[in-house]
């Protein structure tokens, strides 16, 4: 009995378990915040390749990932799901486009504003060939400003 085998093994996606997300203290907002992650199971990333073996797409998800963010001066906290998922396209020119849907934590610039945000909706992030951020925008959905929510 002959068994059919794929012509290019490189076409098969690879699935990898991601390391646990570590807790940290952040002072960006002008007051110390503890970001305490709860991760009941590991996140995973699935890597997809073209016929030549080039990475063209990745899919990441963090089942059950949540965070409690606490203002260490007031004790006030905010808890939220951050499970994703996200799909990153690796473009032929070396640039990348990340499309993140569902709940995410964005600890950087969002819609042109630098800050600490939780997003629920569709985030599009584009980076150039050097990995530098070109743009990151939220298309619909909800943007939660963590600094404003937990300010003393």
């Amino acid at each position: 009995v002959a068994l059919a085998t794929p012509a290019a093994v490189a076409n098969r996606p690879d699935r990898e378990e991601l390391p646990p997300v570590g807790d940290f203290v952040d002072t960006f907002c002008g007051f110390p915040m503890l970001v305490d992650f709860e991760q009941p199971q590991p996140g995973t990333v699935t890597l997809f390749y073209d016929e030549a073996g080039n990475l063209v797409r990745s899919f990441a998800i963090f089942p059950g990932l949540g965070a409690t963010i606490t203002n260490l001066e007031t004790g006030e906290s905010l808890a939220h799901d951050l499970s994703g998922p996200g799909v990153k396209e690796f473009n032929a020119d070396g640039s990348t486009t990340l499309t993140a849907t569902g709940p995410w934590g964005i600890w950087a610039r969002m819609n042109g504003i630098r800050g600490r945000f939780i997003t629920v909706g569709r985030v599009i992030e584009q980076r150039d060939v050097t990995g530098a951020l070109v743009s990151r925008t939220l298309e619909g959905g909800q943007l939660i400003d963590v600094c404003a929510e937990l300010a003393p």
Side-chain angles (χ1 to χ4, degrees):
V1 173
L3 297 175
T5 58
V9 174
N11 286 334
R12 291 186 182 171
D14 291 327
R15 186 173 183 176
E16 300 174 5
E17 190 171 288
L18 298 170
V21 180
D23 301 344
F24 62 93
V25 173
D26 185 0
T27 58
F28 173 83
C29 297
F31 52 88
M33 296 184 306
L34 172 63
V35 182
D36 180 21
F37 291 100
E38 300 149 17
Q39 191 170 4
Q41 57 185 319
T44 60
V45 63
T46 305
L47 306 171
F48 299 88
Y49 304 90
D50 64 15
E51 290 184 10
N54 300 307
L55 179 62
V56 294
R57 180 178 302 115
S58 67
F59 175 80
I61 191 163
F62 304 87
L65 178 65
T68 300
I69 307 162
T70 303
N71 178 327
L72 294 175
E73 291 177 353
T74 67
E76 186 176 349
S77 65
L78 171 68
H80 214 284
D81 174 24
L82 301 175
S83 58
V87 175
K88 184 182 276 188
E89 302 288 336
F90 296 85
N91 304 313
D93 67 357
S95 65
T96 61
T97 302
L98 171 67
T99 303
T101 56
W104 277 76
I106 306 289
W107 251 230
R109 187 170 299 276
M110 174 56 85
N111 293 346
I113 302 167
R114 190 165 184 261
R116 304 297 185 250
F117 304 102
I118 295 171
T119 61
V120 181
R122 182 182 166 98
V123 174
I124 306 294
E125 174 185 284
Q126 297 190 347
R127 292 187 177 268
D128 68 17
V129 297
T130 68
L133 181 66
V134 173
S135 67
R136 183 185 293 122
T137 57
L138 175 65
E139 297 179 350
Q142 182 182 13
L143 180 67
I144 300 167
D145 183 337
V146 174
C147 294
E149 291 286 324
L150 294 177

